[in-house]
Amino acid sequence: MTGKLDLDPVLVARARELARRAGQPVVDLARSHTTVSVERAVLRLAGVAGADPDGIPWVNRLVDAVAADVGLGHGVAVPVFDALAREGITDVTLLAQKAAAGSVRFTQPTGRAATAARTAARRAVGAGVRRIDRRRAERDRLIKRHGDPLQRPWIYLIVATGDIYEDIPQAQAAARAGADVIAVIRSTGQSLLDYVPEGATREGFAGTYATQENFRLMRAALDESSKEVGRYVRLTNYASGLCMPEMATLAGLERLDMMLNDSMYGILFRDINPVRTFVDQRFSRQVHARAGIIINTGEDNYLTTADAVDEAHTVTVSQLLNEFFAHEAGLADWQLGLGHAFEINPEVPESFRLELAHALLARELFPDAPLKWMPPTKHMTGDVFRGNLLDGFFNLAGALTGQSILLVGMMTEAVVTPWLSDRDIALQNVRYVLGAAGGLHEDFVPAPGGFIRRRANQVLGEALDLLGRIGEQTLLTAIAEGTFGIMKRPADRGKGLAGVAAHEADYCNPATDILEGDAA
Amino acid sequence: MSATDAAKKIVRPYGDTTGDGMVQVSFTLPVSHDKRAEGAAVQLANKMGIDPAMVVHAKPMGDGFTFFVVYGRVNHLVDLNAVTVVERDFALLSAKDVNTVIKQRLRRKLSVVGACIGTDAHTVGIDAILNVKGIAGEKGLEYYRELKVTNMGAQVSVPELVETARAEKADAVLVSQVVTQRDAHLHNTREMSAAFREAMPAGRRPLLIVGGPRFDETMTDELGVDRIFGRGTTPGEVASYLVHALITQREAMA
């Protein structure tokens, strides 16, 4: 701890312990359940690819067929590889096609057949994991060749036209203009699709569909840009919603570099079933850990729905929970892009000092995490001149408090999707602040006993109180009773519940076995 | 408009002197920055009625684009008497105001049931309106403390919808229809409104609202619904309409 806020290490340790206590029952739940999306991710690692003529992926058809015959609780890997052996074929996608046509029956084998199926499944899934390993090694090589950005924070820019072939030139132009990280926003509502669309896509609603082919196309384009600009340009997408495990898997296979992946966002903001979310999240984080992907968590969302001063401590609580779940799933500190945002009403007296206190609190609590600092959105009014000033202060707060990833704010937030000139003006704003004050965090030490230190300690205290209250019930009850935000999300409600199953005694998931075995 | 404004008939933009007509505009042209590009910016400004036009800032952006800031005197006049505005027939309220009106005047939560009916699996519309996440920077109806939202999701049958509306004592039913093949959205909407008419007497029926990108907003009578919302509708508009139709308007009629 760098000690700019004089935080009590006993309290900080206590906060982590309370987060662990709140999170552990959820981890136990995640370890004893599976979901359709986890099983589909396993099949993707085993090599099932493509979709039927209606666009339904073969992994969906195959998991549905297995679940109909033997249920989901054994895991699909053993029944699938058992059927493959009985059918005398080697191509899992072909098996999916036969299963969809109704010409294959699945059973849960026992004895030697079961052992053989387990071995075959582990071999196939292992090959998929090795493909992810190769992509990670490839990233390391490219970073070595092209280099990392020269400055911190890394500059993070969003593109989202709906058409991957329009996104590509925009992303390349953004990289040339100084972006270190490109995020492709997904089409509205993709998080609620219980399948991953296939192929290159040219239309979306306020965003571009996340598909394996779109991932591949954009990564290839940014590889060209990296060579051109002489630094490795990172690519971000979303592992959230109903297909979290598959998104994580596809990101690993296509060498994406960062993924948005929050522990509670889908539950609170998309009404996805809490159990489904926690099971999916754990698997997706294990894949991210293996793939060397940096996750970005979504604490900014709390501040857009609740008051950024009154609810500042919910950000800290969520960061601590996200950290616990991430560590448990094998992610290292350098992979934790914990989020927070500059969302205090600028009319509030001392709003900037409050922002500095909150931002510095996150920095001090998580000294080794690449914190993601997100710009004002709630108080951007359409007054673009004031918006540009507010973004300048946001950038300055980022520089003063040593943030790691800076999502570039647009003065036209809430007005239009950013124009070319909006992006240029926004980047000019960032460059000015980082150029003029990039090292100011060295000199910025809030006065002992002063406003910023007092405020940061107050927020930490409130976070401890909330964690204590959660610990008295359990995280699932807290979520059910609306402790986070105003949304009540009971564990037996929400989207995707039908796709959750408790493990049978013989549950087998070779992907989890490999990911956990190698992590241990 | 204040009394002094009403007395004026013709006005011009104001820079620092009455009647100077000064405006400031910024735009991008898809040309590389050089003398000719600045000339092009002046030409555009002239065509916009700005004459003389001063290019005060020109900046190249990437390959083949230049950003301009132009100040100048616009020769257009504004005739205040000729200004016409289309008024929304209900007031647009903030989330806070919506909550306050419901709390103080309805004195219970307002119950909303939403669904995509028929075979339509596109929940993007209903989710944009109902999910907390919302759309275009506006939070969805779930975010409103005084609204009780039941989102039934996609491919809901009409009898299921009627049953849920009854169980939830729905004040309003929101139906989203994106798929329009063979006018499915119109057939489904008529089927839905007929089912509600059959199942509940007039005074007890929830407000029926449909939304989707291909509806004609004037077809309410033909489809038997109370309101149609088209493309680009935000949750705030829907919430404001609910307050208008279920509280403000009913009080006015009572």
Side-chain angles (χ1 to χ4, degrees):
Chain A
M1 204 152 296
T2 45
K4 287 187 180 184
L5 291 171
D6 202 21
L7 300 175
D8 181 349
V10 176
L11 285 186
V12 173
R14 168 108 185 112
R16 287 209 157 83
E17 170 57 21
L18 286 171
R20 191 194 65 75
R21 217 178 281 177
Q24 190 57 48
V26 170
V27 171
D28 298 339
L29 189 79
R31 292 175 72 108
S32 57
H33 289 74
T34 187
T35 74
V36 284
S37 185
V38 166
E39 299 301 326
R40 294 195 299 252
V42 172
L43 292 181
R44 286 185 186 275
L45 284 169
V48 181
D52 74 8
D54 293 329
I56 304 301
W58 291 119
V59 287
N60 285 62
R61 303 298 304 260
L62 188 48
V63 166
D64 290 351
V66 175
D69 286 353
V70 296
L72 207 59
H74 307 283
V76 300
V78 169
V80 162
F81 279 85
D82 172 63
L84 210 56
R86 278 187 286 114
E87 294 287 317
I89 53 178
T90 52
D91 181 351
V92 270
T93 304
L94 182 61
L95 182 80
Q97 290 162 354
K98 286 182 161 222
S103 63
V104 184
R105 300 289 295 173
F106 295 94
T107 55
Q108 178 64 11
T110 50
R112 285 169 92 165
T115 311
R118 272 170 191 267
T119 308
R122 173 145 181 142
R123 192 179 306 126
V125 171
V129 174
R130 275 196 304 282
R131 277 168 65 203
I132 290 179
D133 291 344
R134 282 198 296 276
R135 301 315 301 268
R136 178 176 180 160
E138 185 179 50
R139 181 193 301 113
D140 291 343
R141 269 201 312 280
L142 288 169
I143 292 172
K144 210 171 210 174
R145 185 181 308 158
H146 302 307
D148 265 324
L150 294 175
Q151 89 294 331
R152 278 282 186 172
W154 291 350
I155 297 170
Y156 179 113
L157 262 181
I158 287 168
V159 298
T161 67
D163 179 346
I164 189 66
Y165 294 105
E166 284 290 332
D167 289 344
I168 286 173
Q170 289 211 10
Q172 292 185 315
R176 260 177 237 124
D180 301 312
V181 184
I182 299 291
V184 181
I185 295 270
R186 292 203 300 190
S187 176
T188 300
Q190 182 169 3
S191 54
L192 299 178
L193 297 180
D194 210 342
Y195 66 93
V196 181
E198 277 283 319
T201 64
R202 307 205 66 163
E203 52 187 34
F205 304 92
T208 307
Y209 282 104
T211 72
Q212 183 168 11
E213 179 63 6
N214 287 350
F215 286 1
R216 190 188 68 75
L217 288 167
M218 186 57 92
R219 188 56 267 174
L222 292 181
D223 282 348
E224 279 174 34
S225 296
S226 301
K227 199 190 286 181
E228 182 189 326
V229 299
R231 62 194 147 77
Y232 182 70
V233 180
R234 286 176 169 79
L235 176 59
T236 303
N237 212 288
Y238 292 67
S240 60
L242 289 170
C243 293
M244 241 190 273
E246 294 170 270
M247 287 298 169
T249 303
L250 297 176
L253 290 171
E254 299 301 336
R255 192 177 21 95
L256 267 60
D257 307 283
M258 292 189 187
M259 292 296 274
L260 275 81
N261 186 242
D262 189 79
S263 63
M264 292 189 291
Y265 171 82
I267 302 170
L268 299 178
F269 294 88
R270 285 300 192 183
D271 196 14
I272 294 175
N273 175 261
V275 181
R276 170 81 181 250
T277 298
F278 285 122
V279 176
D280 282 351
Q281 181 214 161
R282 182 167 188 268
F283 184 90
S284 67
R285 288 188 174 188
Q286 289 180 321
V287 174
H288 288 142
R290 182 74 175 219
I293 286 173
I294 295 172
I295 63 165
N296 290 186
T297 60
E299 282 79 3
D300 54 313
N301 290 290
Y302 297 105
L303 300 184
T304 60
T305 46
D307 183 85
V309 178
D310 296 344
E311 300 299 322
H313 63 286
T314 61
V315 168
T316 308
V317 168
S318 174
Q319 288 168 336
L320 287 161
L321 289 170
N322 263 311
E323 178 193 52
F324 166 72
F325 289 130
H327 282 164
E328 193 281 326
L331 286 157
D333 281 332
W334 67 268
Q335 293 176 291
L336 308 187
L338 299 172
H340 58 142
F342 188 94
E343 290 284 18
I344 298 174
N345 185 345
E347 300 297 331
V348 169
E350 309 294 348
S351 66
F352 186 65
R353 292 167 88 192
L354 290 166
E355 294 284 9
L356 289 175
H358 300 172
L360 199 53
L361 175 62
R363 181 71 287 166
E364 301 267 301
L365 284 176
F366 309 100
D368 301 315
L371 298 181
K372 184 178 179 199
W373 181 226
M374 285 175 270
T377 57
K378 195 177 169 184
H379 299 287
M380 298 296 271
T381 58
D383 178 348
V384 294
F385 302 102
R386 186 172 184 266
N388 199 29
L389 177 63
L390 208 55
D391 281 333
F393 270 60
F394 158 76
N395 293 332
L396 181 60
L400 272 170
T401 60
Q403 303 300 314
S404 316
I405 302 164
L406 184 138
L407 199 163
V408 177
M410 295 288 151
M411 64 182 188
T412 45
E413 176 75 38
V415 181
V416 288
T417 52
W419 290 356
L420 185 70
S421 55
D422 299 334
R423 219 175 263 143
D424 191 73
I425 289 166
L427 281 169
Q428 172 178 279
N429 187 330
V430 172
R431 272 196 302 269
Y432 167 67
V433 173
L434 295 187
L440 200 52
H441 57 91
E442 283 175 32
D443 310 303
F444 177 59
V445 183
F451 180 90
I452 289 178
R453 287 202 192 192
R454 285 201 314 273
R455 174 63 189 167
N457 279 283
Q458 181 194 347
V459 173
L460 178 60
E462 288 171 5
L464 274 156
D465 289 346
L466 177 55
L467 280 166
R469 285 203 300 281
I470 296 168
E472 283 163 18
Q473 16 187 4
T474 73
L475 188 54
L476 283 177
T477 322
I479 290 169
E481 291 180 354
T483 306
F484 297 95
I486 49 161
M487 293 69 74
K488 295 184 177 174
R489 303 300 195 200
D492 59 352
R493 295 269 290 277
K495 302 178 181 91
L497 175 61
V500 180
H503 288 177
E504 302 287 345
D506 60 355
Y507 177 74
C508 171
N509 182 334
T512 313
D513 291 346
I514 295 169
L515 296 172
E516 288 181 358
D518 294 13
Chain B
M1 203 179 280
S2 73
T4 48
D5 283 351
K8 294 178 196 164
K9 287 207 173 89
I10 305 291
V11 295
R12 298 168 162 270
Y14 184 104
D16 67 351
T17 313
T18 301
D20 63 13
M22 292 300 281
V23 296
Q24 174 254 70
V25 293
S26 63
F27 51 83
T28 301
L29 290 178
V31 290
S32 302
H33 180 228
D34 54 19
K35 285 294 258 195
R36 196 159 144 269
E38 295 199 14
V42 170
Q43 188 193 96
L44 175 64
N46 289 159
K47 286 181 175 169
M48 291 164 78
I50 303 169
D51 192 2
M54 294 178 286
V55 174
V56 299
H57 176 67
K59 180 173 179 282
M61 287 184 309
D63 270 350
F65 292 95
T66 309
F67 176 67
F68 299 95
V69 179
V70 176
Y71 278 68
R73 177 187 163 89
V74 69
N75 52 35
H76 301 302
L77 303 175
V78 179
D79 179 355
L80 294 179
N81 290 334
V83 174
T84 55
V85 284
V86 179
E87 305 281 2
R88 193 182 292 101
D89 59 354
F90 57 91
L92 204 53
L93 306 176
S94 70
K96 206 173 152 194
D97 291 340
V98 167
N99 286 330
T100 309
V101 174
I102 297 174
K103 196 167 182 182
Q104 293 181 348
R105 288 152 70 177
L106 194 63
R107 293 197 204 87
R108 59 172 172 82
K109 302 222 168 183
L110 194 152
S111 171
V112 178
V113 171
C116 293
I117 56 172
T119 55
D120 197 339
H122 295 74
T123 59
V124 49
I126 198 80
D127 286 326
I129 299 298
L130 296 183
N131 273 186
V132 175
K133 173 75 180 169
I135 185 114
E138 272 191 30
K139 299 294 167 220
L141 298 189
E142 282 190 331
Y143 171 64
Y144 292 70
R145 205 180 340 104
E146 299 297 327
L147 294 178
K148 181 164 75 80
V149 173
T150 310
N151 184 352
M152 299 178 69
Q155 301 186 343
V156 174
S157 73
V158 167
E160 274 179 281
L161 178 62
V162 172
E163 210 29 65
T164 305
R166 201 196 299 274
E168 297 293 333
K169 297 194 175 63
D171 294 294
V173 169
L174 267 59
V175 162
S176 168
Q177 291 281 276
V178 173
V179 171
T180 56
Q181 275 160 350
R182 282 182 246 120
D183 284 338
H185 61 310
L186 303 179
H187 297 307
N188 289 340
T189 303
R190 284 197 194 96
E191 186 195 339
M192 184 269 298
S193 62
F196 274 98
R197 269 200 305 278
E198 204 165 291
M200 300 174 188
R204 309 268 287 281
R205 265 201 306 274
L207 203 64
L208 301 181
I209 302 171
V210 290
R214 295 276 179 271
F215 281 109
D216 176 346
E217 297 193 1
T218 62
M219 282 177 70
T220 47
D221 289 345
E222 219 180 312
L223 296 178
V225 297
D226 296 288
R227 185 85 186 194
I228 297 170
F229 284 108
R231 177 181 286 279
T233 302
T234 62
E237 288 175 85
V238 176
S240 300
Y241 171 72
L242 291 175
V243 165
H244 164 78
L246 290 167
I247 303 174
T248 329
Q249 204 178 35
R250 283 191 187 169
E251 283 175 354
M253 284 193 284

